[in-house]
Amino acid sequence: TQLLEQSPQFLSIQEGENLTVYCNSSSVFSSLQWYRQEPGEGPVLLVTVVTGGEVKKLKRLTFQFGDARKDSSLHITAAQPGDTGLYLCAGEGDNAGNMLTFGGGTRLMVKP
Amino acid sequence: NAGVMQNPRHLVRRRGQEARLRCSPMKGHSHVYWYRQLPEEGLKFMVYLQKENIIDESGMPKERFSAEFPKEGPSILRIQQVVRGDSAAYFCASSPYTSYEQYFGPGTRLTVT
């Protein structure tokens, strides 16, 4: 069974601060996706990383896939109240078909 | 281009009744996935379907749960004789190809009373 450990579970910071969310596993993933989920809604895809060591930027968000494709991080620079939400990482296993294994999520609150 | 559609958005059933959840994938997508999100837990894979085929149902409970994706019409997740523990948010996702990004619908929130 593949597992994804996401940390921290909760994060409360002031506007303008930087933060990093981590997603770790002992398993190798063929790709890793980051989603953001608002209350009462479905996850919205932010980015997909595929290659070990890959870095992708989305405005103030920077996503990195570990060299061994077992871990990933999401870094937010100068957080804004609009970044508040639940961030989820999800990995597609090398030998697990197409199912996504989700981390437990990081609930971020950015205070003005 | 409409996204993944799910209905109903909210469903209330009494114990023992049947629940039918529908999912229409994005236009051009022929791969459908169902996930369940229990209260205070993460999303868990249930089943992966292509048109008229169940590809992977390793996450489906062995009893009372079934899924289909007919040639015409939406994918259906069916839960027979619901129990309180079935109360959860059920999400459908679709993708155009195998091993490609999955796009999620807004979910159906099932409450069993």
Side-chain angles (χ1 to χ4, degrees):
Chain A
T1 304
Q2 297 183 303
L3 292 173
L4 267 173
E5 298 289 335
Q6 202 171 329
S7 62
Q9 281 186 288
F10 302 96
L11 193 53
S12 180
I13 60 172
Q14 292 295 133
E15 182 176 0
E17 292 183 9
N18 301 332
L19 68 115
T20 303
V21 176
Y22 299 94
C23 190
N24 296 300
S25 177
S26 58
S27 304
V28 175
F29 291 98
S30 59
S31 69
L32 199 134
Q33 302 175 21
W34 284 91
Y35 292 86
R36 180 174 155 179
Q37 186 178 19
E38 302 293 341
E41 298 295 330
V44 175
L45 182 64
L46 296 175
V47 79
T48 300
V49 285
V50 179
T51 308
E54 184 176 4
V55 176
K56 281 192 174 178
K57 289 183 185 289
L58 188 66
K59 296 183 181 177
R60 292 176 293 101
L61 278 60
T62 301
F63 304 85
Q64 184 161 7
F65 202 11
D67 290 340
R69 291 186 291 134
K70 292 182 179 181
D71 53 84
S72 182
S73 64
L74 157 61
H75 182 79
I76 302 180
T77 304
Q80 316 262 321
D83 296 328
T84 294
L86 178 66
Y87 290 83
L88 299 162
C89 62
E92 183 184 3
D94 259 356
N95 297 306
N98 299 91
M99 59 178 279
L100 289 178
T101 298
F102 276 85
T106 294
R107 198 166 294 280
L108 172 65
M109 176 175 289
V110 182
K111 300 175 187 174
Chain B
N1 185 16
V4 178
M5 315 261 298
Q6 288 188 250
N7 67 81
R9 292 291 306 272
H10 300 274
L11 183 61
V12 179
R13 284 287 177 265
R14 289 202 178 104
R15 277 180 298 170
Q17 291 185 318
E18 178 179 288
R20 280 186 181 234
L21 288 60
R22 294 175 190 77
C23 168
S24 296
M26 286 178 73
K27 188 176 181 181
H29 288 196
S30 59
H31 301 250
V32 165
Y33 313 81
W34 286 92
Y35 294 82
R36 178 165 65 174
Q37 189 172 38
L38 292 165
E40 305 306 320
E41 290 190 21
L43 282 126
K44 297 280 194 286
F45 168 78
M46 297 181 77
V47 63
Y48 164 37
L49 310 104
Q50 293 178 27
K51 287 280 188 183
E52 299 183 282
N53 280 309
I54 297 174
I55 307 302
D56 182 350
E57 56 181 348
S58 58
M60 287 277 269
K62 294 288 182 262
E63 297 176 349
R64 302 187 297 107
F65 284 73
S66 62
E68 63 176 7
F69 189 16
K71 190 176 179 181
E72 302 289 337
S75 175
I76 307 281
L77 179 67
R78 183 179 175 210
I79 311 172
Q80 295 178 289
Q81 299 176 321
V82 296
V83 301
R84 288 227 172 99
D86 296 332
S87 295
Y90 292 82
F91 292 97
C92 166
S94 74
S95 68
Y97 312 111
T98 300
S99 292
Y100 198 76
E101 296 167 339
Q102 295 181 22
Y103 296 89
F104 282 78
T108 293
R109 275 139 192 90
L110 172 66
T111 302
V112 179
T113 62

